[in-house]
Amino acid sequence: MVHSSNSRRADRTEQQRENILRAGRAVFAERGPRATMADIAAAAGVSQGLAYRYFASKEEIYRYLADQAVQAGAAELAGVQDVPATAGERLFLLVTKMVEMRAADPETFRLLDHVLHGAADDLRASAQARRADFTGLLRTLIVEGQRDGEVAAGDPDQLAAAIAAMLEGLARLAADSERTAFPDAEIVLRMLRPPATADGAA
Amino acid sequence: MVHSSNSRRADRTEQQRENILRAGRAVFAERGPRATMADIAAAAGVSQGLAYRYFASKEEIYRYLADQAVQAGAAELAGVQDVPATAGERLFLLVTKMVEMRAADPETFRLLDHVLHGAADDLRASAQARRADFTGLLRTLIVEGQRDGEVAAGDPDQLAAAIAAMLEGLARLAADSERTAFPDAEIVLRMLRPPATADGAA
Amino acid sequence: MVHSSNSRRADRTEQQRENILRAGRAVFAERGPRATMADIAAAAGVSQGLAYRYFASKEEIYRYLADQAVQAGAAELAGVQDVPATAGERLFLLVTKMVEMRAADPETFRLLDHVLHGAADDLRASAQARRADFTGLLRTLIVEGQRDGEVAAGDPDQLAAAIAAMLEGLARLAADSERTAFPDAEIVLRMLRPPATADGAA
Amino acid sequence: MVHSSNSRRADRTEQQRENILRAGRAVFAERGPRATMADIAAAAGVSQGLAYRYFASKEEIYRYLADQAVQAGAAELAGVQDVPATAGERLFLLVTKMVEMRAADPETFRLLDHVLHGAADDLRASAQARRADFTGLLRTLIVEGQRDGEVAAGDPDQLAAAIAAMLEGLARLAADSERTAFPDAEIVLRMLRPPATADGAA
DNA sequence: GATGAATGAGCCTTCATTCAT
DNA sequence: CATGAATGAAGGCTCATTCAT
């Protein structure tokens, strides 16, 4: 049947596309944007020419993957906002999620790392904008949390920056070595949690 | 006087060398090893060929700067060990120093970052070895500090990894943007300080 | 048929390889190792980059061709040794062959000439070793031939050197100009043939 | 006295010039035209810049030396022509001289060799023209000598070419290795001497 | 006159991209 | 759809030449 054959062909096509993207993600995560097209093709097990049937350029692949990575991080933001909880609780939840994502999917965050510091200016700009969004959200939650006494005192900008920096550092840590101990989110949260009050009310 | 003229020429030469190294540091810090010789020459305000009077290759420049960066980090380690103080105090001192160095000289640490994750295997290995030394020292101080109650509870490996990751993240943060709030060391130390005791002695 | 198509492609590939080698031989023979990759590519009618699909470097091409040339000369040596004839006859046969080879394939011997006097130390050493082998064989045959009265008197080392020098000179002569008269081997052999005896026995 | 001081200065200048030429000759003879200006300056013990006070370019040095070498060979030609002797005698004298010159001054002839086969077209052309002159003279003497029975039979062009080739080969031989046996001119002359007559008149 | 720093053109090589099959 | 040959634009490096001192 024509339709089925078309579908099957389309499936095949889609699979190749995914195949190349998967290879690209692995290779770009490891080597950054200086990974060659030959690397990617080899990792995908296809010819170099074929990649150009699916993507217009190496940069397109990179951009696609970069966007994916940026959005992977962003998805959580929205999710957390909707949770019915106090600012502090949402803050802790958000940070915990972020830490855990970096432990779970180092490849994506290693890639994001390259994007944040790489040469493609517009990509970097957009990734940095996302990060700024994220930091802004952190800041907001921190300010609110501090008002309620759920979050430790301290300059909110510095606290937000500390968390953001920590997350980048963890992404690298995860990427580097499977072997290293990866810190629990709880350790990170110590930077935000208020000290136990003297009367131990908590 | 002959000597004076020679000295002046030698000075000039030495200045150019420094000039090229400075340019190289800036450019490599920003772009990593894929920075172009043309980039470096332009940043130094000299022709591309001239750099080769002072350095045999682009790699030589990179290695020289990489070594410098690796050693800049290492210098502090020794210093802190000699301070007559408890393990906890030395730990806090060390971390404080490290945080402040990253705030003060982001370029060097950005470069170190590239070295730690770049393609030059032997350089990376040596930089990672240094980092492992550092993490090991952190761990030792943490264990001792915990014994004395100066350091918060928690898996020492995770705590050490958290600090190491934080420092990498801060290096990147500092490099990215002069404008961002840079966290005080005290915020980082929250991950290590024990909670206030219930009797509120403090 | 798949196989046929593969074969055809493989043939094409092999042809290009040969094409580039042919061009390289011509260009290196004329200009020596300082011939440009651009020269070779132009002579082969291909882009400069393409040569690197077939050879890792300019030097690899040069070495390949140099080896070929060295062995082309050496092949004759073995052949002549097996001929069942007197030393003198084999000597004359060998020299005749060598002269004729230089007339027939000036390019190869011009290249050999560059190898013998060029900058690539190991290549030159191996080519000179071959030449020493050859000169040694000449000397042996001369000594034996003199014992039998088939070869003219004279210091065997000098005679061998004279023949070796003559062959180099002929290689150059042939390379320079197709137009020049090329001496018959018989003229060269005059340096080796004994004078007619007074009784005209010969 | 002004004049004397000028002379002394001029002497000094002339010495430097000679110094650089001597260095250039040695270096060009060994490496050919690909010898670098740095090589020459180092061999002369002067700075690279100084060479440009005496010569406009590396090529000028090379040309000057090449001309010298070409003329060194040519000088003999004229001399031999004036000798009151038969054609055959003059031929043998000429060839003997040429062989001995190559043994005595390999450097010059090694250089000449580079000129004859190098890339500078006009130089090569002029050197080849000289060589053609020489070969022409040889031919003339051969033809005359054959008429008188002083020179062996054979195509004069081939005989002349054989001698010319031999001389090139000897130049290389001399250049290559001090150690090798260098053939007496008498061996070379065997190609030209008539066979002993049956009546043993000689 | 002499030095050595400085320049810029050219060569080898790599790699993203295109094209014939 | 798929392959791999082919191209051309950089990038690293060398070296003849010029220039300030």
Side-chain angles (χ1 to χ4, degrees):
Chain A
M1 201 225 287
V2 171
H3 172 259
S4 135
S5 133
N6 278 352
S7 293
R8 232 178 283 136
R9 190 176 299 173
D11 283 1
R12 182 92 212 286
T13 292
E14 188 51 30
Q15 276 173 30
Q16 273 291 33
R17 200 183 146 83
E18 288 302 332
N19 178 29
I20 291 167
L21 284 173
R22 183 168 33 254
R25 186 156 37 231
V27 166
F28 279 132
E30 192 187 332
R31 308 248 255 270
R34 75 193 184 305
T36 72
M37 214 53 175
D39 290 337
I40 298 170
V46 301
S47 73
Q48 217 171 132
L50 187 60
Y52 285 86
R53 201 160 263 285
Y54 293 92
F55 301 94
S57 66
K58 176 178 133 171
E59 185 163 2
E60 185 180 308
I61 302 181
Y62 188 65
R63 281 170 184 283
Y64 184 93
L65 293 169
D67 272 351
Q68 261 193 356
V70 168
Q71 277 158 29
E76 297 303 310
L77 264 66
V80 166
Q81 287 299 60
D82 302 338
V83 173
T86 66
E89 284 164 352
R90 279 179 299 156
L91 174 62
F92 299 153
L93 180 60
L94 179 60
V95 172
T96 302
K97 274 272 172 67
M98 289 290 175
V99 171
E100 285 168 357
M101 284 173 73
R102 274 145 186 89
D105 183 6
E107 202 174 75
T108 292
F109 288 91
R110 184 74 203 279
L111 179 53
L112 191 53
D113 191 63
H114 284 300
V115 173
L116 275 164
H117 299 277
D121 287 342
D122 59 333
L123 272 184
R124 188 180 50 208
S126 106
Q128 288 181 347
R130 291 282 181 180
R131 188 174 56 172
D133 290 351
F134 172 64
T135 311
L137 173 56
L138 282 181
R139 205 201 109 96
T140 304
L141 294 175
I142 286 167
V143 169
E144 287 185 41
Q146 286 177 332
R147 202 176 303 141
D148 302 344
E150 292 177 300
V151 170
D155 177 55
D157 288 314
Q158 287 189 19
L159 286 171
I163 298 298
M166 187 69 183
L167 291 174
E168 281 206 42
L170 289 176
R172 294 228 136 184
L173 184 70
D176 251 19
S177 46
E178 321 283 329
R179 57 191 180 286
T180 314
F182 194 91
D184 287 339
E186 200 50 45
I187 291 175
V188 179
L189 291 177
R190 286 182 187 171
M191 291 191 284
L192 298 173
R193 288 203 191 281
T197 51
D199 58 314
Chain B
M1 202 223 285
V2 170
H3 172 258
S4 136
S5 129
N6 279 351
S7 292
R8 230 175 285 136
R9 189 177 292 178
D11 282 1
R12 183 98 210 284
T13 292
E14 187 51 31
Q15 276 174 31
Q16 271 292 32
R17 198 183 147 86
E18 289 302 333
N19 178 29
I20 291 167
L21 283 174
R22 182 166 35 252
R25 186 155 37 227
V27 167
F28 279 133
E30 192 187 330
R31 308 245 248 277
R34 75 191 179 313
T36 286
M37 214 50 177
D39 291 339
I40 298 171
V46 300
S47 72
Q48 217 171 134
L50 185 61
Y52 288 87
R53 272 191 78 79
Y54 295 92
F55 302 95
S57 65
K58 179 178 126 168
E59 185 164 0
E60 186 180 306
I61 301 181
Y62 187 66
R63 281 172 182 278
Y64 184 92
L65 294 169
D67 272 351
Q68 260 192 357
V70 168
Q71 277 157 29
E76 297 303 311
L77 265 68
V80 167
Q81 286 299 64
D82 301 337
V83 173
T86 66
E89 284 163 352
R90 282 184 323 205
L91 173 63
F92 299 153
L93 180 61
L94 179 60
V95 171
T96 302
K97 272 273 173 65
M98 289 287 174
V99 171
E100 284 168 358
M101 283 172 75
R102 274 144 185 89
D105 183 6
E107 209 172 67
T108 291
F109 289 92
R110 185 70 205 284
L111 178 53
L112 192 52
D113 192 62
H114 284 299
V115 173
L116 276 164
H117 300 277
D121 286 343
D122 58 334
L123 276 182
R124 189 181 50 212
S126 107
Q128 288 181 346
R130 292 279 181 180
R131 190 174 55 173
D133 290 350
F134 173 63
T135 311
L137 174 56
L138 283 181
R139 205 200 109 96
T140 304
L141 294 175
I142 287 168
V143 169
E144 287 184 40
Q146 287 177 333
R147 200 177 303 141
D148 301 344
E150 294 176 299
V151 170
D155 177 53
D157 288 314
Q158 287 190 21
L159 287 170
I163 298 299
M166 187 68 185
L167 291 174
E168 281 207 40
L170 289 176
R172 295 225 138 187
L173 183 69
D176 256 16
S177 43
E178 319 284 330
R179 57 193 178 283
T180 313
F182 194 91
D184 288 339
E186 200 51 43
I187 292 175
V188 179
L189 290 178
R190 287 182 186 171
M191 293 192 284
L192 298 173
R193 288 202 190 282
T197 51
D199 60 313
Chain C
M1 201 223 287
V2 170
H3 172 258
S4 138
S5 129
N6 279 351
S7 292
R8 230 176 283 137
R9 191 176 291 180
D11 283 1
R12 182 98 210 284
T13 291
E14 187 51 29
Q15 277 173 30
Q16 272 291 31
R17 199 184 146 85
E18 290 302 333
N19 178 29
I20 291 167
L21 283 174
R22 182 165 36 251
R25 187 155 38 228
V27 167
F28 279 133
E30 192 188 330
R31 306 246 249 277
R34 74 194 179 314
T36 287
M37 213 53 176
D39 291 338
I40 299 171
V46 301
S47 72
Q48 217 170 131
L50 185 61
Y52 288 86
R53 274 191 76 80
Y54 295 93
F55 301 95
S57 65
K58 179 178 126 169
E59 185 164 0
E60 185 180 307
I61 302 181
Y62 187 65
R63 281 171 180 279
Y64 184 92
L65 294 169
D67 272 351
Q68 260 193 355
V70 168
Q71 278 159 27
E76 296 303 310
L77 265 67
V80 167
Q81 288 298 63
D82 301 338
V83 173
T86 66
E89 283 163 352
R90 283 186 323 210
L91 173 62
F92 299 152
L93 179 62
L94 179 60
V95 171
T96 301
K97 272 271 173 66
M98 289 289 175
V99 171
E100 284 168 358
M101 284 172 72
R102 274 144 186 88
D105 183 6
E107 208 172 70
T108 291
F109 289 92
R110 184 70 205 283
L111 179 53
L112 191 53
D113 193 62
H114 284 299
V115 173
L116 276 164
H117 300 277
D121 286 344
D122 59 334
L123 277 182
R124 188 181 50 210
S126 107
Q128 287 181 345
R130 292 279 183 182
R131 189 173 56 171
D133 290 350
F134 173 63
T135 310
L137 173 56
L138 282 182
R139 205 200 109 97
T140 304
L141 294 175
I142 286 168
V143 170
E144 287 184 42
Q146 287 176 332
R147 204 177 300 139
D148 301 343
E150 294 176 300
V151 170
D155 177 54
D157 288 315
Q158 286 190 20
L159 287 170
I163 298 298
M166 187 70 185
L167 290 173
E168 281 207 41
L170 289 175
R172 296 222 136 190
L173 183 70
D176 255 16
S177 44
E178 319 283 329
R179 58 194 178 283
T180 313
F182 194 91
D184 287 338
E186 201 49 44
I187 292 175
V188 178
L189 291 178
R190 286 181 187 173
M191 291 192 285
L192 298 173
R193 288 204 191 281
T197 51
D199 58 316
Chain D
M1 202 222 285
V2 171
H3 173 258
S4 135
S5 130
N6 278 353
S7 292
R8 234 177 282 136
R9 190 177 299 171
D11 282 2
R12 182 91 213 286
T13 293
E14 187 52 30
Q15 276 174 28
Q16 273 291 31
R17 199 182 149 84
E18 288 303 331
N19 178 29
I20 292 167
L21 284 173
R22 181 166 38 252
R25 186 156 38 230
V27 166
F28 279 133
E30 192 185 332
R31 308 248 255 272
R34 73 194 185 306
T36 72
M37 213 52 174
D39 290 338
I40 298 170
V46 301
S47 73
Q48 219 172 134
L50 186 60
Y52 285 86
R53 201 158 262 284
Y54 294 92
F55 301 94
S57 66
K58 175 177 132 172
E59 186 163 3
E60 186 181 305
I61 302 181
Y62 188 65
R63 282 171 183 281
Y64 185 92
L65 294 169
D67 273 350
Q68 261 191 355
V70 168
Q71 278 158 26
E76 297 303 311
L77 265 67
V80 168
Q81 286 301 62
D82 301 339
V83 173
T86 66
E89 283 164 353
R90 279 181 300 158
L91 173 62
F92 298 153
L93 180 61
L94 180 59
V95 172
T96 301
K97 272 273 172 68
M98 290 288 176
V99 171
E100 284 167 358
M101 283 172 75
R102 274 144 184 89
D105 184 6
E107 202 174 76
T108 291
F109 288 91
R110 185 71 204 282
L111 178 54
L112 190 53
D113 191 62
H114 284 300
V115 173
L116 275 164
H117 300 277
D121 287 342
D122 59 333
L123 272 185
R124 188 179 50 209
S126 106
Q128 288 182 345
R130 293 280 182 180
R131 189 173 55 172
D133 290 350
F134 173 64
T135 312
L137 174 56
L138 283 181
R139 204 200 111 96
T140 303
L141 294 175
I142 287 168
V143 169
E144 287 185 40
Q146 286 177 332
R147 201 176 303 141
D148 302 344
E150 293 176 302
V151 170
D155 177 54
D157 287 315
Q158 286 189 20
L159 286 170
I163 297 300
M166 187 69 182
L167 291 174
E168 281 207 41
L170 289 176
R172 292 229 139 184
L173 184 70
D176 250 19
S177 45
E178 320 284 329
R179 55 192 179 284
T180 314
F182 194 90
D184 288 339
E186 201 49 44
I187 292 175
V188 178
L189 291 178
R190 288 181 185 172
M191 292 192 284
L192 297 174
R193 288 203 192 282
T197 51
D199 57 317

